[in-house]
């Protein structure tokens, strides 16, 4: 995967999506910015960040990810890989369903994903040096470059979804003390049922991560 770094940009995610739609990107590619002014978060919210944090977007062809990966749960897959990499470096980070990275009860980062043409596009935001109110900084000292390259190396290993999910099943129990937003409502995860494709049953409705 080709990796590029840019000094500043409005949104790595929006840039990558535009380049794919215009067919200017035709192979696996990753872009991270040292500063991002209008980052995109879950549910199209703005991801607040600052210089020194991770602002990464990448696109990978469907054929280059595990064939058993449910595309609607790509965010879970990507986020868990990032969590595993950071754990190897000594972090106590964990993944709250579906795509939020937490330390204790505070969010430290997040992952989004989208399907465009034959690419899966992923986006990562991670607080290394700056944390907005009611969020946390990552608990280990790691450079942006090492974080980006280490995560992308894991991604290229093409790990099977079933292996990721077997570990995530245990971690999901931590999410039960939290809630998620769905169709304009905040819903508790206390009694949620986790399916093998990463979706959950909430109030008799099957909910997918989607992003």
């Amino acid at each position: 995967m080709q990796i590029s770094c840019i000094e500043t940009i409005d949104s790595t995610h929006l840039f990558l999506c535009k380049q794919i739609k215009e067919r200017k990107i035709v192979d696996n590619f990753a872009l991270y910015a040292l500063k991002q002014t209008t980052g995109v978060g879950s549910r199209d919210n703005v991801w607040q960040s600052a210089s020194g944090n991770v602002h990464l977007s990448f696109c990978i062809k469907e054929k280059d990810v595990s064939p058993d990966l449910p595309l609607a749960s790509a965010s879970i897959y990507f986020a868990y890989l990032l969590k595993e990499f950071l754990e190897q470096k000594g972090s106590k980070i964990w993944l709250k369903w579906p795509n939020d990275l937490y330390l204790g009860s505070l969010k430290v980062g997040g992952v989004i994903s989208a399907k465009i043409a034959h690419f899966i596009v992923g986006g990562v935001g991670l607080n290394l040096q700056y944390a907005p109110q009611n969020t946390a900084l990552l608990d280990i000292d790691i450079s942006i470059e090492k974080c980006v390259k280490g995560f992308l190396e894991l991604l290229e290993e093409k790990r099977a979804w079933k292996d990721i999910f077997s570990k995530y099943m245990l971690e999901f129990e931590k999410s039960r003390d939290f809630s998620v937003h769905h169709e304009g409502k905040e819903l508790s995860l206390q009694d949620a049922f986790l399916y093998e494709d990463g979706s959950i049953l909430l109030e008799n409705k099957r909910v997918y991560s989607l992003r």
Side-chain angles (χ1 to χ4, degrees), residues 74-208:
S75 294
I76 297 174
Y77 181 83
F78 297 146
Y80 199 87
L81 288 179
L82 177 57
K83 186 209 84 129
E84 282 203 337
F85 168 72
L86 296 172
E87 272 189 335
Q88 293 168 9
K89 300 301 180 182
S91 176
K92 298 188 184 307
I93 201 166
W94 66 278
L95 174 59
K96 170 186 168 288
W97 192 91
N99 59 349
D100 292 329
L101 294 160
Y102 269 66
L103 282 170
S105 61
L106 294 176
K107 186 174 177 177
V108 70
V111 175
I112 60 174
S113 62
K115 174 75 168 59
I116 300 178
H118 57 286
F119 283 107
I120 303 172
V121 182
V124 175
L126 192 64
N127 299 337
L128 299 186
Q129 300 293 331
Y130 165 79
Q133 188 175 5
N134 299 321
T135 67
L137 291 174
L138 187 65
D139 56 343
I140 58 172
D141 185 16
I142 187 170
S143 69
I144 298 171
E145 182 180 13
K146 285 183 178 180
C147 187
V148 167
K149 290 186 175 180
F151 163 67
L152 292 175
E153 285 174 4
L154 268 188
L155 178 61
E156 291 184 312
E157 289 182 6
K158 209 170 180 177
R159 299 264 298 278
W161 164 256
K162 67 176 182 179
D163 295 335
I164 295 293
F165 183 77
S166 66
K167 297 177 182 179
Y168 181 63
M169 283 177 63
L170 300 175
E171 181 133 304
F172 179 76
E173 295 304 309
K174 297 181 181 179
S175 291
R176 296 194 183 280
D177 293 331
F178 295 81
S179 61
V180 294
H181 289 87
H182 179 64
E183 295 182 346
K185 296 191 295 183
E186 186 172 353
L187 303 175
S188 170
L189 290 169
Q190 183 61 48
D191 299 316
F193 177 82
L194 179 66
Y195 289 96
E196 290 185 357
D197 64 356
S199 63
I200 59 174
L201 184 66
L202 272 180
E203 294 189 343
N204 296 316
K205 291 183 180 179
R206 198 158 180 172
V207 182
Y208 293 83

Side-chain angles (χ1 to χ4, degrees), residues 12-66:
T12 57
H13 182 76
L14 294 178
F15 174 81
L16 225 60
C17 291
K18 185 173 186 290
Q19 293 290 298
I20 293 170
K21 290 174 181 176
E22 294 176 354
R23 299 184 180 179
K24 294 178 180 177
I25 290 179
V26 296
D27 209 347
N28 298 342
F29 180 75
L31 175 69
Y32 67 98
L34 301 182
K35 183 179 180 181
Q36 184 172 252
T37 57
T38 319
V40 178
S42 297
R43 306 188 310 278
D44 295 322
N45 291 328
V46 173
W47 173 260
Q48 295 182 46
S49 190
S51 298
N53 288 353
V54 172
H55 319 102
L56 165 70
S57 292
F58 58 92
C59 59
I60 185 166
K61 294 177 181 178
E62 280 189 76
K63 69 178 184 64
D64 292 327
V65 298
S66 175

